[in-house]
């Protein structure tokens, strides 16, 4: 399915056949570009960046690399190829043909899911707006911008659905997506993690590892949707999302690598003196980003989640691979809960526990990267292990938000929390130390003191390629 690049809005949905829709989106386009100019990467809009652009959605065509100024990136509308015989895979409508249009009874619910998803995309661009100014290398700078333009495209993906399928309400929601802003006192973004700051590159890599990975799991669940345009949109978004998580995993891996090299070469734990980030600080940042990211899955027990599933709107991760009835009416699922000052696991009804099940899949996936970073630590003969904190640690949403839980999963008193939170979460000292390292490195092939170079460059290019020029 080739993408039509002659159109003002590149697309593979035959936009020219629906003039009204095309006009409505063309009216939204300048407002998007204005938002990009006001809220997108600050200071680099005139630079040539070695970017990947989709030119078709099949395996060969979706990764085309060239220099481009970011405002000229061809943000467009790309849906994965249709599967003509697709049926709904779960819930009360299981086995029925997938819906090409929004079923009237689910209109409000679907709109809300799409708006919540759509809201995160521009939010992350806003959060990362200033990072270019302190990039650790041209290679990393280019990766930041690749992530940013694709998040912009993911906003387009959701806005297309709103315009094409939700009439006037959808157009109003599309406007509102440009009016809410990350951290804005009056009009904040919808979900908590998207109102946090991303003030430094350690936070950026944590964000792309942990928060973009929430994106992967939410998009994968929405890719199961009975509403076929949503499913096809999310399937294509997932192909782009993989790169964002790679940026996070490899970025954190390179930071750990550098820290270990300094520890070994200088035979010291005091790596800060040598411009590297100590493992204890990395652990505290990890604790923070993991905890705010697992909040994004919603409450452990959620009737919303049960209703989304039964209605056929949002499935499980890899729904088709689950060997059960895909209706879950009488099924149970084990969920960790608070019982006074203990944490216990209880079997509860599976349907309202679907947020927790998705969170479990996500946590297992997060652990894989942590294991790889720990291999690096071990290879350097260092006695330290990075760990995911307990799921109850530092939660603002769900059952655990009512308690104080330590990273090792003990319910602790407020007094213990107050006394020890400096061991568990980034301190002001950590933040200002990390900030002090954020000095731009823009010489070709050079890297900041706190991060190792990558093993290889982008798209077969050398590590010292001029990824951003001009
Ligand atoms: N912050 O029944 P509950 C991504 C609200 S990231 C604030 O437990 P539900 C990306 C909730 O709205 C993926 N409020 O939750 C990553 C509800 O409000 P009402 C984004 C929250 O509805 C990096 C109430 O609390 N995708 O793509 O089952 C870069 C009770 O909620 C939060 C999606 O989110 C929170 N964290 O599930 C770029 C997918 N959590 O009804 C992009 C679409 C809950 O009382 N969204 N609330 O007014 C969903 O599937 C669901 O809305 C959620 C929450 C999973 C978010």
């Amino acid at each position: 399915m080739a993408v039509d690049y002659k159109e003002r809005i590149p697309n593979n949905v035959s936009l020219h056949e629906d003039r009204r829709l095309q006009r409505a989106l063309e009216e939204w386009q300048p407002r998007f570009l204005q938002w990009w100019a006001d809220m997108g990467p600050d200071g680099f809009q005139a630079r040539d960046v070695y970017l990947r652009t989709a030119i078709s959605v099949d395996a060969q065509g979706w990764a085309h690399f060239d220099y481009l100024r970011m405002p000229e990136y061809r943000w467009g509308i790309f849906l994965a190829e249709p599967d003509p015989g697709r049926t709904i895979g779960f819930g009360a409508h299981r086995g029925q043909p997938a819906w090409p249009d929004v079923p009237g009874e689910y209109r409000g619910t679907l709109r809300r899911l799409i708006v919540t998803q759509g809201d995160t995309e521009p939010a992350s661009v806003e959060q990362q707006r200033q990072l270019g100014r302190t990039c650790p290398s041209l290679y990393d700078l280019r990766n930041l911008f690749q992530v940013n333009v694709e998040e912009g495209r993911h906003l387009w993906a959701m806005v297309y659905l709103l315009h094409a399928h939700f009439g006037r309400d959808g157009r109003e929601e599309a406007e509102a997506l440009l009016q809410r802003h990350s951290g804005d006192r009056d009009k904040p973004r919808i979900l908590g993690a998207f109102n946090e700051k991303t003030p430094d590159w350690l936070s950026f890599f944590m964000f792309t590892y942990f928060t973009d990975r929430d994106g992967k799991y939410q998009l994968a669940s929405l890719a199961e949707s009975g509403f076929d345009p949503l499913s096809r949109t999310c399937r294509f978004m997932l192909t782009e999302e993989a790169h964002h998580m790679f940026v996070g995993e490899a970025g954190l891996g390179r930071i750990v690598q550098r820290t270990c090299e300094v520890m070994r070469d200088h035979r010291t734990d005091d790596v800060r003196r040598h411009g590297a980030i100590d493992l204890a600080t990395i652990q505290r940042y990890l604790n923070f980003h993991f905890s705010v990211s697992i909040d994004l899955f919603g409450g452990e027990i959620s009737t919303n989640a049960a209703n989304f599933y039964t209605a056929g709107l949002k499935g499980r991760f890899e729904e088709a691979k689950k060997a059960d009835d895909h209706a879950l009416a009488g099924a149970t699922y084990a969920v960790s809960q608070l019982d006074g000052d203990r944490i216990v696991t209880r079997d509860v009804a599976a349907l309202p526990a679907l947020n927790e099940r998705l969170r479990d899949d996500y946590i297992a996936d997060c652990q894989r990267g942590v294991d790889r970073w720990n291999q690096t630590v071990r290879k350097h003969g260092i006695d330290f292990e990075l760990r995911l904190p307990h799921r109850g640690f530092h939660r603002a949403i769900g059952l655990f938000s009512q308690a104080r839980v330590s990273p090792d999963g003990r319910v602790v008193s407020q007094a213990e929390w107050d006394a020890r939170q400096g061991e568990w979460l980034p301190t002001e000292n950590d933040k200002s130390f990390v900030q002090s390292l954020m000095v731009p490195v823009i010489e070709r092939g050079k890297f900041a003191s706190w991060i190792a170079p990558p093993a290889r460059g982008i798209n077969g290019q050398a590590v010292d390629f001029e990824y951003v020029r001009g």
Side-chain angles (χ1 to χ4, degrees):
M1 289 174 79
V3 172
D4 189 348
Y5 267 98
K6 292 192 298 296
E7 298 283 334
R8 252 173 75 184
I9 302 171
N11 69 90
N12 69 350
V13 293
S14 306
L15 197 54
H16 61 277
E17 288 173 13
D18 187 340
R19 291 285 173 202
R20 265 189 68 186
L21 175 59
Q22 185 176 28
R23 260 203 310 278
L25 284 165
E26 284 177 358
E27 272 173 36
W28 187 80
Q29 189 176 38
R31 288 196 283 282
F32 168 82
L33 290 171
Q34 190 59 50
W35 166 82
W36 177 267
D38 295 342
M39 306 301 281
D42 195 15
F44 292 88
Q45 303 284 351
R47 300 293 189 86
D48 285 330
V49 186
Y50 187 67
L51 287 176
R52 176 181 76 176
T53 312
I55 51 171
S56 76
V57 298
D58 53 28
Q60 294 81 38
W62 74 275
H64 172 80
F65 288 82
D66 210 346
Y67 281 109
L68 204 65
R69 295 183 337 144
M70 284 184 278
E72 285 155 18
Y73 183 81
R74 303 302 311 275
W75 285 284
I77 299 161
F78 313 127
L79 271 58
E81 311 215 17
D83 169 0
R86 181 164 178 260
T87 56
I88 299 170
F90 59 94
H93 304 284
R94 179 158 192 250
Q96 296 171 13
W99 306 304
D101 297 304
V102 179
E105 72 266 42
Y106 301 139
R107 193 182 157 89
T109 314
L110 261 176
R111 190 184 73 201
R112 184 179 139 172
L113 279 172
I114 292 168
V115 166
T116 309
Q117 176 64 46
D119 192 68
T120 63
E121 315 289 359
S124 67
V125 176
E126 294 166 356
Q127 289 171 296
Q128 295 161 16
R129 171 168 165 76
Q130 298 299 343
L131 286 177
R133 298 192 177 281
T134 58
C135 64
S137 71
L138 286 183
Y139 166 90
D140 291 292
L141 184 61
R142 176 263 167 212
N143 282 348
L144 166 71
F145 294 154
Q146 183 72 52
V147 169
N148 290 161
V149 292
E150 286 176 357
E151 300 299 5
R153 206 204 67 72
H154 291 182
L155 171 61
W156 270 94
M158 293 299 128
V159 163
Y160 164 71
L161 294 176
L162 290 169
H163 271 249
H165 296 279
F166 294 87
R168 190 165 152 188
D169 303 354
R171 290 194 293 278
E172 283 171 9
E173 293 284 13
E175 291 306 316
L177 283 168
L178 297 178
Q179 278 154 17
R180 286 187 291 272
H181 296 309
S182 178
D184 191 304
R185 280 225 333 251
D186 301 324
K187 289 185 176 174
R189 292 295 176 184
I190 296 170
L191 298 174
F194 294 89
N195 288 303
E196 299 286 347
K197 288 200 166 67
T198 312
D200 58 67
W201 281 75
L202 178 58
S203 302
F204 170 67
F205 291 126
M206 291 284 174
F207 184 94
T208 42
Y209 187 76
F210 288 109
T211 310
D212 276 278
R213 192 171 307 275
D214 167 50
K216 167 183 166 184
Y217 281 81
Q218 299 296 342
L219 290 173
S221 308
L222 295 173
E224 302 287 343
S225 184
F227 177 43
D228 203 42
L230 176 61
S231 163
R232 288 174 55 206
T233 303
C234 291
R235 271 185 274 149
F236 185 67
M237 289 165 76
L238 279 165
T239 59
E240 292 169 326
E241 202 66 47
H243 171 70
H244 306 185
M245 288 176 295
F246 158 79
V247 168
E249 178 170 346
L252 292 172
R254 289 161 51 211
I255 295 173
V256 170
Q257 165 88 23
R258 181 73 193 130
T259 302
C260 293
E261 286 166 3
V262 171
M263 288 173 82
R264 186 194 55 198
D265 295 351
H266 295 272
R267 296 178 190 213
T268 178
D269 289 343
D270 185 12
V271 298
R272 286 191 178 194
R273 274 199 306 143
H274 303 279
I277 307 175
D278 48 297
L279 294 172
T281 299
I282 296 173
Q283 178 69 63
R284 284 191 286 276
Y285 272 69
L286 185 158
N287 290 349
F288 175 78
H289 285 271
F290 177 74
S291 59
V292 298
S293 298
I294 56 176
D295 266 345
L296 291 171
F297 289 80
E300 289 78 359
I301 311 292
S302 161
T303 47
N304 285 341
N307 294 339
F308 298 157
Y309 186 82
T310 302
L313 306 179
K314 182 179 174 189
R316 287 172 290 178
F317 182 66
E318 299 188 326
E319 182 68 44
K321 290 192 187 163
K322 309 273 194 265
D324 54 32
D325 67 357
H326 302 276
L328 304 179
T332 58
Y333 192 75
V335 172
S336 297
Q337 301 181 333
L338 280 171
D339 182 359
D341 59 2
R342 289 183 323 135
I343 294 171
V344 297
T345 304
R346 287 208 185 95
D347 281 341
V348 300
L351 276 173
L354 282 167
N355 284 344
E356 189 66 0
R357 182 186 289 235
L358 193 61
R359 189 166 14 238
D360 284 341
D361 290 333
Y362 165 87
I363 292 174
D365 196 12
C366 287
Q367 184 62 46
R368 281 191 267 276
V370 176
D371 291 343
R372 275 190 286 271
W373 305 327
N374 281 331
Q375 271 175 22
T376 303
V377 177
R378 269 197 305 278
K379 263 206 305 238
H380 286 78
I382 293 164
D383 182 22
F384 189 97
E385 193 181 341
L386 290 164
R387 291 204 179 131
L388 294 179
H390 188 273
R391 73 182 63 222
F393 172 73
H394 188 238
R395 291 288 300 280
I397 300 281
L399 302 171
F400 292 109
S401 62
Q402 295 148 24
R404 292 296 193 186
V405 178
S406 63
D408 60 1
R410 285 177 304 112
V411 178
V412 298
S413 64
Q414 185 64 39
E416 182 173 354
W417 176 269
D418 292 342
R420 298 193 62 187
Q421 69 162 306
E423 289 167 43
W424 297 337
L425 288 168
T427 61
E428 288 312 313
N429 175 291
D430 293 339
K431 290 180 200 171
S432 54
F433 170 68
V434 171
Q435 202 58 53
S436 75
L437 296 177
M438 297 297 121
V439 181
V441 177
I442 51 169
E443 226 177 302
R444 274 178 69 166
K446 290 272 175 349
F447 288 82
S449 62
W450 49 271
I451 189 164
R456 59 188 68 83
I458 307 286
N459 189 37
Q461 302 289 1
V463 169
D464 67 356
F465 182 74
E466 194 172 17
Y467 289 102
V468 180
R469 68 182 185 195

